[in-house]
Amino acid sequence: MNHVELEPEQLRRVCDPTQLNFRTTSDLEDIEDVVAQPRAVEALAFGIGVEHQGYNIYALGPPGIGKRFAVERFLRARAESRDTPDDWCYVNNFQEPHKPRCIRLPGGRGVELERDMEQLSEDLSAALDAAFASDEYKTRRHVIDEEFGARPESKFAELREHAEKRGFVILRTPVGVVFAPRRDGEVLPPEEFEKIPEGQRQEIERDMKELQAEFQEFVGQLPDWERERQRRLRQLNREVTHNAVTRLISELRAKYESFSDVLAYLDQVERDVVDNARAFLAAQGQAQAHATSDNEITEVPVPESLKGAPALRRYQVNVVVANRDGKGAPVIFEDHPTYGNLVGRIEHLSQLGTLTTDFRLIRPGALHRANGGYLVIEARQLLMQPFAYEGLKRALQSREIRIESLGQALSLVATISLEPETIPLDVKVVLLGDRMLYYRLAALDPEFSELFKVAVDFDDEAEWSGPMVTTYCRTIATMVRREDLRPFGRDAVARIVEECARMAGDQRKLSTSMSRMIDLLREADYFAGSAGRDVASKDDVQRAIEAREYRSNRVKERLQEQTLREVLMIDCAGTRVGQINGLSVMQLADYRFARPTRITARVHMGKGNVVDIERETELGGPIHSKGVLILTGFLSARYGGAKPFALSASLVFEQSYGGVDGDSASSAELYALLSAIGDVPLRQSLAVTGSINQHGDVQAIGGVNEKIEGFFDLCMARGLTGTQGVLIPKANADHLMLRHDVIKAVDEDSFHIYPIEHVDQGIELLTGMEAGKSDALGNFPDGSVNAIVDARIAAMAENMAKIGRDRPKADDE
């Protein structure tokens, strides 16, 4: 029985430094292209170029692969060639203050309008103060005051004269004005009035009532005169205000004559200033008191909206988007995509225990800043924020940005708040996330595929070829300079290329994980500096790799310690029936390692079922259970085709107290079952990995490098005997990038790695016996493993039949 072993040169692909045409990375030019992502590059160019609705982008791939860098590079290149988007401003809506208006202006003009309106407010304050303090205004006001101040006095004098002619005098009493009869210039006392004859007394009383009626008519005219006075004053104020304001606003009208929204706003400002000028001055404490003819102060009512704040701030402009640099379209990365950070929010001020707000407290969101350009968001961060994803979808579907609180959006509050005018939305959104999240969104959200039609799938591997190695070398040189690291020698670069293949787990592939590559460069640079070298070498890279391993392998060392102390029972020598060394991979954060695991099998007569103890105890996953069922199918087909499969078996991972999943141990479990059935001992110096199908073919598995190294470390710690090794699927031979110490042991014939295609090859290696092939009648060669197993199963079937025949018949039979 000749069994092929893998040669040392097959265990690792080497990048020859002498084939690299540079001495250090300083000799290489920077690379600006996205490395090893042709599919993603084409999809990005397509997604960015299509301007139709719904062609937003989802960039999918594992973390650290360079999605953000590639997306930013493409977006910024595209953004530079696009026009600078417009500015957006919010201004006061004088008719409905809770519904602020928005104004659109070319890039940079929004800030200009803001400054112009601030200057207008200052100029208005000065102009109105000067106008109302001018001699002309005072004179005209004085004329009105004099006119309306003389009317009551003149009318009252006429009424007094008329009363005197009729023999009455006007008296002021605590209860008001009364008319009293007079005789000889004196007021007639009441007792004298009673002595007057009845007819004459009735005539006097009639005249008194007529005078009283005339007086009431006079009193009724006073409010009318005051209203007329106030009307005249308001008319005067409006005229003075209009004259003061028209010149200032006319200058702005000329400046913004091509912007209809601004002109309409200026018209509203002018009307509002004219209507409320005196109120503004009073609210700011700038209005002077104007004395009436009676030295009374004229009170000017102040609107509620102007109390408690400088009045002219209502004419300010809130620029929510300012594109003043004029460098093309914006590219916005929103790292904290809450609902408010996306669609904007309305802030409030606390004044005397009351929350107040106005248009000046409207704050923009990422959609506002990215409008006319591109917005990049981490998909996971977006989905973690309450209602942020729904808010983004609503904006993309309606193509407008509506600023409202979550309470308003969900109809949870009924209070009156600001309702800013919506802003049209024109943005390309790029989501960055992993593949699983993309597939779940596409499956669970029917709107997702309508809004994100372009999938940019980043590959996590690249072909290891000559041109690709050259590209990787330039990429490493570019990273070294960007990170301000010392140059790397070509031997160090070659070692990094090899490590990229180890990351990919394939001799023909290179990992495209840029973040892990940069970390390795930084760490190697640190060790080069510690060693006092100006150029990082291969030894520095190797030391960085080993140091990273050491920082993370505490659990691995503890498990090996427990194995060496035989707390965890694993044999590396001798033979045992129904027992084999399997290999399982453990993942702790970003560190992955493997350890040997004892797998045992027991058999007895039964009904042909194999009990998976891991599954029965709910420690086995569905894939592991599937593997057990597959090997059961293989056993039934090979040994039970013409006879009853009259045995039952149990399989278990010994000393396994956590979950077990995957089918990579199914070949080892099969070997253990064959050993238990045939009572054939298995070599404990070998460990096995590989899954099988129902025909007995050994299939590829994952983590082959870690599995080999895990068993090698244990054998090395106990002492290599020259008989130890690992059985791996032949399909995994191209995936080997083993450590140098493993390769050295293989080269010295101290450790062996066997590529297996079929379980018959494996059972021969494990037993030292021929597996045996069946002839046309289904018989196996005598002395072969398969013959022994088949005979044992036939014996069990015969015993089962004999027991059935010897069983007493029931009474009714």
Side-chain angles (χ1 to χ4, degrees):
M1 294 178 293
N2 293 324
H3 298 287
V4 177
E5 294 184 41
L6 292 178
E7 298 297 327
E9 57 270 15
Q10 295 177 281
L11 305 182
R12 181 184 185 90
R13 184 172 179 179
V14 177
C15 180
D16 186 359
T18 62
Q19 300 298 315
L20 305 180
N21 57 355
F22 62 92
R23 188 176 63 86
T24 71
T25 52
S26 299
D27 302 332
L28 298 174
E29 296 179 354
D30 284 347
I31 188 168
E32 299 298 333
D33 297 332
V34 178
V35 178
Q37 300 290 350
R39 178 183 290 102
V41 167
E42 181 178 338
L44 262 178
F46 171 77
I48 294 172
V50 176
E51 300 293 342
H52 298 289
Q53 185 177 8
Y55 281 84
N56 298 294
I57 299 170
Y58 189 108
L60 58 152
I65 206 168
K67 300 190 296 293
R68 185 176 181 125
F69 170 79
V71 167
E72 181 176 8
R73 179 183 174 278
F74 269 82
L75 292 183
R76 295 203 183 280
R78 173 72 173 180
E80 290 177 358
S81 63
R82 294 187 59 181
D83 295 334
T84 301
D86 294 333
D87 290 351
W88 287 95
C89 313
Y90 275 108
V91 296
N92 192 14
N93 184 341
F94 302 102
Q95 284 73 38
E96 297 179 283
H98 69 288
K99 295 182 178 181
R101 301 279 304 278
C102 64
I103 293 178
R104 184 175 191 170
L105 289 169
R109 296 299 297 272
V111 176
E112 188 176 346
L113 176 63
E114 180 185 33
R115 288 196 299 263
D116 288 340
M117 292 306 297
E118 288 178 356
Q119 186 62 48
L120 176 65
S121 298
E122 296 177 5
D123 294 344
L124 281 175
S125 179
L128 292 176
D129 191 30
F132 286 105
S134 65
D135 291 338
E136 179 186 0
Y137 174 77
K138 291 179 180 179
T139 299
R140 296 178 63 180
R141 182 183 177 94
H142 181 70
V143 169
I144 295 174
D145 290 340
E146 286 293 326
E147 176 184 347
F148 285 93
R151 281 188 184 181
E153 294 298 329
S154 174
K155 184 65 175 179
F156 191 75
E158 292 178 3
L159 185 60
R160 181 185 294 112
E161 182 180 355
H162 180 62
E164 288 176 353
K165 288 181 179 180
R166 301 182 66 171
F168 290 89
V169 64
I170 299 177
L171 299 178
R172 297 180 183 272
T173 69
V175 296
V177 176
V178 298
F179 292 88
R182 185 178 60 177
R183 178 183 292 174
D184 298 330
E186 298 293 335
V187 176
L188 187 65
E191 58 273 12
E192 292 295 328
F193 181 73
E194 293 296 334
K195 297 178 180 180
I196 296 175
E198 181 66 22
Q200 188 177 357
R201 191 170 61 249
Q202 290 179 354
E203 184 178 353
I204 292 174
E205 290 176 350
R206 185 174 58 255
D207 292 342
M208 189 183 302
K209 289 180 181 180
E210 291 177 359
L211 290 172
Q212 192 70 36
E214 292 181 16
F215 180 76
Q216 291 300 324
E217 182 181 356
F218 163 70
V219 172
Q221 288 179 318
L222 291 177
D224 296 336
W225 292 338
E226 181 60 24
R227 283 194 295 271
E228 177 65 16
R229 174 178 172 273
Q230 292 293 339
R231 187 189 66 78
R232 294 275 297 279
L233 287 176
R234 284 195 298 270
Q235 184 177 352
L236 173 62
N237 291 341
R238 289 177 62 87
E239 181 181 343
V240 172
T241 302
H242 185 270
N243 292 335
V245 170
T246 299
R247 181 183 61 82
L248 296 175
I249 293 185
S250 62
E251 296 176 0
L252 291 182
R253 284 198 180 97
K255 184 174 183 179
Y256 296 95
E257 61 180 353
S258 59
F259 306 107
S260 58
D261 289 345
V262 177
L263 295 179
Y265 170 65
L266 291 176
D267 290 341
Q268 295 176 7
V269 169
E270 181 177 7
R271 287 194 296 270
D272 191 73
V273 171
V274 170
D275 291 339
N276 299 287
R278 293 293 294 169
F280 299 146
L281 294 176
Q284 297 181 92
Q286 295 177 338
Q288 298 182 358
H290 297 275
T292 63
S293 57
D294 292 329
N295 293 324
E296 296 175 349
I297 301 298
T298 302
E299 294 291 338
V300 180
V302 181
E304 290 295 325
S305 61
L306 301 180
K307 292 182 179 179
L312 292 174
R313 288 199 307 192
R314 65 193 274 125
Y315 304 126
Q316 292 179 354
V317 174
N318 180 10
V319 181
V320 293
V321 178
N323 295 298
R324 68 186 80 183
D325 54 11
K327 296 182 179 179
V331 179
I332 304 298
F333 286 80
E334 180 53 59
D335 296 321
H336 187 47
T338 63
Y339 180 84
N341 286 351
L342 283 178
V343 303
R345 64 187 184 277
I346 300 171
E347 295 181 347
H348 294 75
L349 294 175
S350 178
Q351 295 181 341
L352 301 176
T354 301
L355 293 178
T356 62
T357 188
D358 61 24
F359 72 97
R360 292 174 292 113
L361 296 178
I362 298 173
R363 298 293 178 256
L367 288 171
H368 293 88
R369 299 194 303 274
N371 203 5
Y374 307 94
L375 175 61
V376 184
I377 307 172
E378 288 284 350
R380 181 173 176 272
Q381 295 294 331
L382 175 68
L383 295 173
M384 288 175 63
Q385 301 299 329
F387 302 101
Y389 177 57
E390 293 299 323
L392 175 64
K393 289 198 302 179
R394 188 182 304 116
L396 293 176
Q397 288 167 338
S398 63
R399 305 189 74 174
E400 64 181 18
I401 311 172
R402 183 182 302 276
I403 301 178
E404 56 184 354
S405 67
L406 274 176
Q408 290 175 299
L410 301 176
S411 301
L412 297 178
V413 295
T415 56
I416 296 177
S417 184
L418 292 185
E419 299 177 17
E421 185 178 358
T422 59
I423 292 178
L425 177 63
D426 176 22
V427 68
K428 178 83 69 175
V429 177
V430 181
L431 295 182
L432 307 177
D434 57 51
R435 295 189 178 98
M436 184 57 68
L437 190 56
Y438 172 80
Y439 297 136
R440 286 183 177 177
L441 284 171
L444 300 176
D445 182 6
E447 297 175 340
F448 175 78
S449 298
E450 293 298 318
L451 293 174
F452 294 89
K453 296 179 182 291
V454 182
V456 178
D457 196 349
F458 282 79
D459 202 339
D460 46 7
E461 296 175 347
E463 289 291 333
W464 184 339
S465 63
M468 186 56 66
V469 170
T470 301
T471 300
Y472 264 62
C473 292
R474 289 183 60 194
T475 302
I476 291 170
T478 304
M479 292 178 177
V480 166
R481 282 188 281 272
R482 286 179 180 171
E483 295 292 321
D484 195 23
L485 306 177
R486 53 181 47 81
F488 277 60
R490 62 181 180 179
D491 62 334
V493 174
R495 181 65 185 89
I496 293 172
V497 171
E498 293 176 7
E499 186 63 18
C500 288
R502 170 65 185 242
M503 294 177 191
D506 196 329
Q507 294 181 4
R508 301 181 182 182
K509 301 288 184 179
L510 295 174
S511 170
T512 57
S513 177
M514 297 295 110
S515 64
R516 294 181 65 182
M517 187 187 298
I518 292 174
D519 289 343
L520 182 57
L521 290 171
R522 292 167 179 159
E523 293 162 18
D525 176 78
Y526 167 78
F527 287 111
S530 299
R533 281 190 279 270
D534 295 330
V535 177
S537 69
K538 175 182 178 181
D539 293 338
D540 299 318
V541 176
Q542 184 62 37
R543 189 177 176 187
I545 295 171
E546 293 172 354
R548 180 185 296 179
E549 165 85 11
Y550 180 71
R551 291 194 300 269
S552 304
N553 70 354
R554 182 189 63 83
V555 174
K556 175 184 177 182
E557 288 188 352
R558 293 296 177 270
L559 290 172
Q560 180 154 311
E561 177 187 348
Q562 296 297 309
T563 304
L564 293 174
R565 295 172 61 185
E566 298 186 355
V567 175
L568 297 176
M569 293 187 292
I570 300 292
D571 293 333
C572 294
T575 60
R576 291 288 297 271
V577 173
Q579 176 178 301
I580 196 169
N581 294 323
L583 296 167
S584 59
V585 174
M586 299 183 67
Q587 182 88 33
L588 299 176
D590 60 348
Y591 178 62
R592 187 169 67 164
F593 67 95
R595 69 183 186 93
T597 302
R598 175 176 288 181
I599 300 173
T600 60
R602 302 287 287 181
V603 298
H604 55 85
M605 285 193 300
K607 298 180 179 180
N609 61 312
V610 177
V611 176
D612 177 10
I613 295 178
E614 304 297 331
R615 180 180 61 184
E616 296 299 321
T617 57
E618 298 184 354
L619 291 177
I623 299 178
H624 176 260
S625 298
K626 177 184 177 182
V628 173
L629 294 174
I630 289 173
L631 70 88
T632 303
F634 169 78
L635 287 172
S636 300
R638 170 168 282 194
Y639 305 109
K643 55 184 174 295
F645 194 65
L647 67 81
S648 291
S650 62
L651 286 168
V652 68
F653 281 68
E654 302 288 359
Q655 294 183 292
S656 172
Y657 308 108
V660 175
D661 202 6
D663 62 353
S664 66
S666 58
S667 64
E669 291 170 320
L670 176 60
Y671 297 142
L673 274 173
L674 293 175
S675 171
I677 295 170
D679 198 25
V680 179
L682 300 176
R683 292 171 57 188
Q684 301 301 296
S685 59
L686 297 177
V688 177
T689 184
S691 68
I692 61 168
N693 59 28
Q694 293 191 101
H695 298 285
D697 301 317
V698 179
Q699 303 169 144
I701 45 83
V704 64
N705 291 292
E706 290 82 1
K707 289 177 177 179
I708 294 173
E709 291 167 357
F711 189 64
F712 172 82
D713 289 340
L714 178 59
C715 295
M716 187 72 177
R718 285 179 169 171
L720 294 176
T721 63
T723 62
Q724 296 142 332
V726 179
L727 279 64
I728 67 169
K730 184 179 180 180
N732 283 119
D734 284 345
H735 301 153
L736 297 179
M737 288 295 294
L738 293 172
R739 296 195 317 246
H740 292 286
D741 55 344
V742 180
I743 298 173
K744 181 181 178 182
V746 172
D747 188 38
E748 295 173 350
D749 205 29
S750 299
F751 195 77
H752 310 275
I753 300 174
Y754 302 97
I756 304 299
E757 290 186 90
H758 194 272
V759 293
D760 287 341
Q761 295 174 274
I763 200 65
E764 289 181 351
L765 275 167
L766 289 163
T767 63
M769 301 170 59
E770 181 184 357
K773 292 185 178 181
S774 62
D775 56 21
L777 299 176
N779 298 318
F780 296 99
D782 293 339
S784 67
V785 175
N786 285 327
I788 295 172
V789 171
D790 189 57
R792 180 75 183 279
I793 292 175
M796 286 186 180
E798 184 177 346
N799 289 337
M800 182 68 76
K802 184 176 182 299
I803 292 172
R805 290 193 300 270
D806 295 342
R807 181 179 299 168
K809 294 184 179 181
D811 294 339
D812 57 356
E813 297 178 352

